[in-house]
Amino acid sequence: MNIGDVAEASGVPPKTIRYYEDIGLIRPLRSANGYRTFRDSDLHKLAFLGRARALGFSIADCRNLLALYEDDARTSAEVKDIATGHLQEIDKKIADLSEMRATLSELVASCAGDHRPDCPILTSLAESNEATV
């Protein structure tokens, strides 16, 4: 298969496939003219990586998960540890976003949004910047 075929079959864009090759996640064969030739195993890895990335796993986590997938001596505890760590990161991001939303919601509610120049949103942003400078 060529890169276009494997991209369509795996759902991973060609640019991403080239990147995965550059960082060693996949290693397609090369024909005499230098073109990539993808095997079924490459397609399977790309689909695996596509699903893992869609769940937000980092490249490092994807590398580890792929290695574990290919390791018959793996333990499910190793896989669960990676997934649990990622789940904790997601929960933290959700908490941070909820806090940001609450703060922004309060600021929007406190702004009259009329023709006057005073604006609690800008005042709050300026106060935050002055405190961190």
Side-chain angles (χ1 to χ4, degrees):
M1 284 181 279
N2 65 31
I3 196 165
D5 296 334
V6 80
E8 185 177 332
S10 67
V12 177
K15 185 175 181 178
T16 304
I17 293 171
R18 289 183 197 98
Y19 172 69
Y20 288 167
E21 181 184 11
D22 288 345
I23 63 172
L25 282 176
I26 59 163
R27 291 185 177 85
L29 300 174
R30 292 283 182 156
S31 62
N33 61 7
Y35 288 117
R36 294 170 185 86
T37 303
F38 293 90
R39 301 159 290 205
D40 287 341
S41 61
D42 296 318
L43 172 60
H44 186 73
K45 285 180 186 180
L46 286 167
F48 181 99
L49 291 166
R51 288 189 295 273
R53 293 293 287 157
L55 288 172
F57 282 102
S58 68
I59 293 293
D61 283 344
C62 286
R63 187 181 304 280
N64 291 332
L65 288 168
L66 193 56
L68 287 169
Y69 179 75
E70 295 173 335
D71 180 5
D72 291 336
R74 71 179 174 268
T75 64
S76 62
E78 294 171 289
V79 178
K80 186 174 181 175
D81 285 346
I82 294 170
T84 299
H86 183 55
L87 187 58
Q88 290 170 345
E89 290 172 17
I90 290 171
D91 288 340
K92 168 104 174 67
K93 287 178 185 177
I94 290 170
D96 290 346
L97 285 170
S98 293
E99 185 177 322
M100 287 169 45
R101 188 189 190 294
T103 300
L104 187 56
S105 180
E106 288 175 18
L107 289 172
V108 167
S110 67
C111 181
D114 56 17
H115 64 281
R116 293 178 296 159
D118 60 313
C119 178
I121 299 169
L122 294 177
T123 302
S124 175
L125 292 174
E127 288 171 357
S128 296
N129 286 338
E130 291 172 4
T132 59
V133 174

